[in-house]
Amino acid sequence: MSYIPLMPFIQNADLVNPPNWGYRVYPQKRSFFGFYHNSSPWLAGRVLGGTSNLNFNLYVRGQRKDYDLWAQQGAIGWSWKDIFGYFIRAENNINYHNEFHGVGGPLTVSHSPYYSPLLKNFLGAVREMGLPIRDFNTDRHDSFYISQGTIEYGKRKNSYTAYIKPNLHRPNLRVMTSALVTKILIDEFKRAKGVSYEYFNVTKIVYARKEIIISAGTVNTAKLLMLSGIGPREHLHELGIAVVADLPVGKNFHDHVTTSVIFTIDKPYSLHTLSFTPKDFMDYKFRGRGRLTSLAGVEVLGFLRTSVEKEGWSDILVAISANSLLSDTGLPLLTPQVGFRKDVYINAFSRYKFKHTISCTPIFVRPKSRGFVKLKSDDPFDQPIINTNYFAKIEDLLSLIEGVKFCKAFGRTHSMRKVGTQEIESVFPMCDHLPYNSDEYMACVLRVFTGSLYHGSGTCKMGDPYDPRTVVDPTLRVKGIRNLRVADCSVMPTLVGGLPHATAVMIGEKAADLIRLEPYS
C-alpha cells in the first residue's frame, strides 16, 4: 500500500503569499485563527544542559548529505567524513556495537526500556506501505526504525549530566548560574577581551586570558552579538549601537515545522494520563523501567522523500507516537507555550480528551523559507524580535501536505485498523469553508495548526570567510573579531534532516578540538 501523492491545487493569492502568521514579537497579539500572530516566547532551556533538558530525548543525527552540503557551501572540514568520528566519540550506545555507533562516550544512547503494545502495529503498517525498516543513524537514512534516545537506566541523559557534572571537581572549571551576559567587551584592536554580565542586579565584568566561546543558542547568541556591535550595520545604527563588525547576524533563521494527524483507537494501549498507576511511578523512580521511561511516546521514526524534493534526499521525518496528544498532558498543557487559543482547543479537540489516541507527525526537515532575529532595543533584558517566516516558500507547504497525506494513509493500513484507528474530525476556524481533506483545506490547516519544534538554526551561519552571507568561518571564529568563537546550532548553514540535539553535541565535540589544537590570536 502506498500513500496518495500530492495533487496540484489552485494556488490563489492567499496561499502563494500567505499572511505572516509565523511572526513572533513582544507584546503578544492574538490571532483570530487560533495562534498568536506575535506568538509566545521562543522555548529555550534556561537550565544547565540547555534544551537537552526539555526535548524528547530522541537521537537522530541527520543525513550524510547534510554535512557534505555544509562543506560544499564553504564550511571546509565539516563534511560527513570529517565529522562522523565526533558522533562516535560522543556516543555510548547501549544497544549497538558496530562501525556506526560509539561505545564509552559521555552521551548514553539507547532504546527506551518501554514500548507500548502498539509498536508491532506501527512496524506492521510501515511494512505494509513498502518502506524499509533499519537503523537510520548510519550512512543511510532512508528508512524507518524503532526510536532511540539519550536515556540511561530509564532516565534522561542530558548535556549537563554527560559533560559538566562529571567535571565539576576540576579546579579550572567554574560554573555560574543566575547570571545574564549582556555584552562582549571588544577593544580597539577588535579583540574580544571579556564579557559583562548581570548577577543579582549587579553588573560585573570578567576578562578572558585566551578566548571567549559563545554557546547561547540560535536566538540568544545572535542577540548577544548584536548587543555587542556585531551584526547588520543598518539595524545596529537604528538602535544607536556602535558597529564593531558588519556581519549578517540574525539572518538565515530557519526551523523545523510540523503538525500532527491524530487518531482515536479502541484499545487502551496509548500513554494516557488516566491510565497511569502508582506502580508506573514506582517503576520509573526505583527501577528505571515502565511506561514513564518512554521517549515522549515516540516509538517509530522514519524518513520520506516527497515529490516536491528534487535533490534526491528525504525532506520529511515522520514521528509515530503512542502518546495521547489530546489528554491532560498533551495539547492542553502546551497551549500557553505555543500560543494555541483555549477556545479553539475546546471547540476542535476537547471531545477527545478522555479517549486513547495516537499521532503521526510529519516534520518538514528541509525548509527553504528563511526568517530573521533582530533586537527590539539595546536593552539586554528586552526579548528579541523573531520572524520565523514559515511557509514563505510554497514548496515548504507542499512538502508538508504530502507528509500529512502519508500519515492519513498510515492510519488506514490493515495493521492500524486492528486497533480501530479513526482519524479525529476537527474543523478549524477559517478553514471550514473549504472542502474537508482537500489540498486547499490541508494548506489552510497547516497555517492554523502549525507546530514549531523549536529547532531554530542558522543565525550565525558558518562557511567561507569571504562569503558575505557568513558570520563565522569553518573554525567557528567570528569574522573580523579576534579571540571570539560561536559553538551552537546558530552556526549551522542549513538545518540537518534529522533532530538537532545529536548535531549540537557533535559541534561541541569538534569545537573542543578546534580550540585545543589551534593557537588563539
Side-chain angles (χ1 to χ4, degrees):
M1 180 177 181
S2 61
Y3 70 97
I4 302 171
L6 176 68
M7 299 299 293
F9 61 91
I10 298 173
Q11 297 182 355
N12 61 41
D14 286 339
L15 292 179
V16 176
N17 299 299
N20 196 4
W21 296 346
Y23 195 72
R24 297 168 179 259
V25 68
Y26 298 82
Q28 297 174 348
K29 297 179 181 178
R30 281 201 170 184
S31 160
F32 180 78
F33 300 95
F35 278 87
Y36 292 110
H37 279 211
N38 306 325
S39 188
S40 55
W42 187 259
L43 289 183
R46 298 182 64 180
V47 61
L48 290 175
T51 309
S52 66
N53 287 277
L54 51 83
N55 62 7
F56 277 18
N57 290 73
L58 299 168
Y59 186 81
V60 186
R61 293 174 181 164
Q63 303 172 32
R64 176 175 187 149
K65 194 171 179 179
D66 290 318
Y67 305 101
D68 290 341
L69 180 63
W70 288 9
Q72 291 168 19
Q73 293 182 348
I76 306 301
W78 292 83
S79 69
W80 174 259
K81 68 176 183 179
D82 294 316
I83 57 88
F84 175 67
Y86 291 107
F87 284 119
I88 299 297
R89 188 170 84 178
E91 186 179 6
N92 180 32
N93 198 296
I94 301 300
N95 305 116
Y96 303 108
H97 302 164
N98 57 40
E99 61 182 309
F100 296 111
H101 293 284
V103 178
L107 190 67
T108 302
V109 176
S110 71
H111 291 303
S112 168
Y114 175 85
Y115 291 93
S116 75
L118 290 163
L119 179 60
K120 64 180 184 296
N121 301 88
F122 293 157
L123 294 176
V126 169
R127 290 190 186 96
E128 279 187 57
M129 301 184 81
L131 298 166
I133 298 175
R134 60 172 176 262
D135 185 6
F136 46 70
N137 281 318
T138 63
D139 58 350
R140 293 191 61 181
H141 67 275
D142 52 344
S143 59
F144 280 67
Y145 205 57
I146 303 169
S147 60
Q148 282 197 303
T150 50
I151 183 171
E152 183 177 61
Y153 304 118
K155 297 186 178 180
R156 178 184 295 270
K157 186 72 172 181
N158 57 37
S159 298
Y160 170 73
T161 56
Y163 285 94
I164 300 176
K165 188 175 180 179
N167 294 296
L168 284 174
H169 66 280
R170 293 175 56 170
N172 62 343
L173 173 65
R174 180 186 177 190
V175 177
M176 178 178 288
T177 59
S178 303
L180 175 69
V181 177
T182 57
K183 190 175 183 179
I184 303 161
L185 306 178
I186 302 170
D187 64 22
E188 64 272 22
F189 303 107
K190 293 193 174 182
R191 180 175 55 203
K193 62 179 182 179
V195 298
S196 64
Y197 63 97
E198 293 287 322
Y199 188 63
F200 292 102
N201 297 320
V202 177
T203 301
K204 297 190 175 186
I205 293 176
V206 60
Y207 291 99
R209 286 183 292 179
K210 295 184 178 180
E211 291 189 82
I212 296 169
I213 297 94
I214 307 173
S215 187
T218 295
V219 172
N220 285 317
T221 288
K223 174 186 172 183
L224 179 58
L225 287 175
M226 287 187 282
L227 287 170
S228 307
I230 303 169
R233 181 181 300 275
E234 184 177 347
H235 176 51
L236 299 184
H237 278 171
E238 289 174 355
L239 299 176
I241 298 174
V243 178
V244 178
D246 181 11
L247 295 173
V249 174
K251 299 182 180 180
N252 190 47
F253 178 94
H254 51 300
D255 185 20
H256 285 157
V257 183
T258 186
T259 191
S260 284
V261 180
I262 304 169
F263 303 91
T264 59
I265 58 174
D266 60 12
K267 306 288 186 184
Y269 292 161
S270 70
L271 298 172
H272 197 294
T273 52
L274 294 179
S275 64
F276 287 140
T277 66
K279 182 179 184 302
D280 290 319
F281 293 95
M282 298 294 285
D283 282 345
Y284 171 74
K285 183 173 179 62
F286 296 110
R287 301 175 63 198
R289 296 181 181 179
R291 295 194 297 168
L292 291 175
T293 66
S294 170
L295 298 169
V298 180
E299 300 198 337
V300 174
L301 290 161
F303 289 93
L304 295 175
R305 177 191 169 196
T306 70
S307 63
V308 183
E309 177 54 56
K310 306 301 183 185
E311 298 297 324
W313 50 354
S314 303
D315 55 338
I316 295 290
L317 173 63
V318 179
I320 303 168
S321 307
N323 58 346
S324 280
L325 187 64
L326 303 180
S327 70
D328 284 334
T329 56
L331 192 60
L333 185 64
L334 292 175
T335 293
Q337 295 176 342
V338 301
F340 193 59
R341 265 179 28 193
K342 185 176 180 179
D343 61 315
V344 175
Y345 165 74
I346 291 172
N347 292 332
F349 299 116
S350 60
R351 60 188 140 149
Y352 302 105
K353 179 177 178 179
F354 300 107
K355 294 183 178 293
H356 281 270
T357 62
I358 62 171
S359 59
C360 179
T361 301
I363 303 162
F364 182 55
V365 295
R366 214 160 297 291
K368 296 178 175 62
S369 302
R370 293 293 186 270
F372 60 79
V373 174
K374 286 186 174 182
L375 296 177
K376 184 181 178 183
S377 73
D378 61 355
D379 184 347
F381 292 94
D382 266 351
Q383 300 287 353
I385 297 170
I386 307 171
N387 186 333
T388 59
N389 214 21
Y390 298 142
F391 301 137
K393 298 290 186 181
I394 192 67
E395 303 98 300
D396 296 0
L397 184 63
L398 299 180
S399 289
L400 197 51
I401 289 175
E402 281 205 33
V404 170
K405 287 186 174 183
F406 168 85
C407 282
K408 290 175 180 287
F410 178 87
R412 295 193 296 266
T413 59
H414 177 69
S415 294
M416 297 313 301
R417 290 296 194 196
K418 288 181 179 179
V419 292
T421 50
Q422 292 289 333
E423 186 180 346
I424 66 170
E425 297 177 356
S426 296
V427 179
F428 289 81
M430 297 305 294
C431 299
D432 52 5
H433 65 289
L434 298 169
Y436 185 72
N437 265 351
S438 66
D439 290 336
E440 297 93 333
Y441 176 80
M442 282 188 277
C444 179
V445 169
L446 284 173
R447 292 200 181 91
V448 174
F449 191 31
T450 307
S452 166
L453 289 186
Y454 296 94
H455 291 171
S457 303
T459 53
C460 299
K461 182 178 180 180
M462 171 176 59
D464 186 340
Y466 296 102
D467 184 343
R469 298 168 297 181
T470 62
V471 175
V472 301
D473 67 19
T475 67
L476 304 179
R477 298 181 188 274
V478 177
K479 296 190 323 186
I481 305 295
R482 296 162 63 188
N483 302 342
L484 181 62
R485 299 192 209 232
V486 174
D488 56 33
C489 290
S490 70
V491 305
M492 292 185 187
T494 53
L495 256 172
V496 295
L499 303 176
H501 180 218
T503 304
V505 171
M506 178 276 292
I507 291 172
E509 287 277 3
K510 184 172 173 67
D513 272 0
L514 292 172
I515 294 163
R516 180 171 59 89
L517 299 176
E518 290 187 1
Y520 59 93
S521 56

